[in-house]
Amino acid sequence: MRRVMRSLAALVLLTAATLVGAGTASTAAADSCYTWNRTLSEGSSGEDVRQLQIRVSGYPAYGEVLALDGSYGPATRAAVTRFQQAYGLAADGVAGPNTFNRIYALQSPD
């Protein structure tokens, strides 16, 4: 079941990246997906937060929908935490290099 959930999450991320379009990828690891240039946490806002929300929107709390509003609030933190837990990352709700690298790996066209 866990393997199916990870595959589904990867598919959601790939679909979101395709529908939203690519940002400015400046590293090989990012291969044609949005590239983040800063750590994001509660209180952050902007297009980079919205891009993160798109990619973790499959991890909201039960019965909730994550708003794609570019504002990193408690719901985004909770979705990021669940994403981190699902992929064995330090689950602190802060989106930094390890979280972004996992997103890049999931979006890789392999």
Side-chain angles (χ1 to χ4, degrees):
M1 180 67 172
R2 188 174 193 156
R3 186 177 208 173
V4 171
M5 292 301 291
R6 285 188 180 172
S7 295
L8 182 58
L11 178 62
V12 168
L13 290 171
L14 271 171
T15 302
T18 301
L19 293 174
V20 172
T24 55
S26 61
T27 65
D31 284 341
S32 74
C33 74
Y34 189 86
T35 302
W36 288 269
N37 297 313
R38 65 179 177 141
T39 297
L40 302 174
S41 60
E42 267 192 90
S44 298
S45 64
E47 179 61 18
D48 51 356
V49 173
R50 191 176 79 81
Q51 291 294 325
L52 175 65
Q53 289 170 326
I54 289 167
R55 287 155 178 86
V56 299
S57 63
Y59 296 88
Y62 180 76
E64 292 190 22
V65 175
L66 182 62
L68 307 179
D69 59 6
S71 180
Y72 202 120
T76 300
R77 178 186 169 94
V80 169
T81 299
R82 280 187 289 283
F83 175 86
Q84 291 167 330
Q85 289 170 333
Y87 289 98
L89 303 172
D92 59 4
V94 175
N98 291 334
T99 301
F100 299 139
N101 284 334
R102 174 52 62 185
I103 291 171
Y104 298 148
L106 291 170
Q107 295 183 136
S108 179
D110 66 333

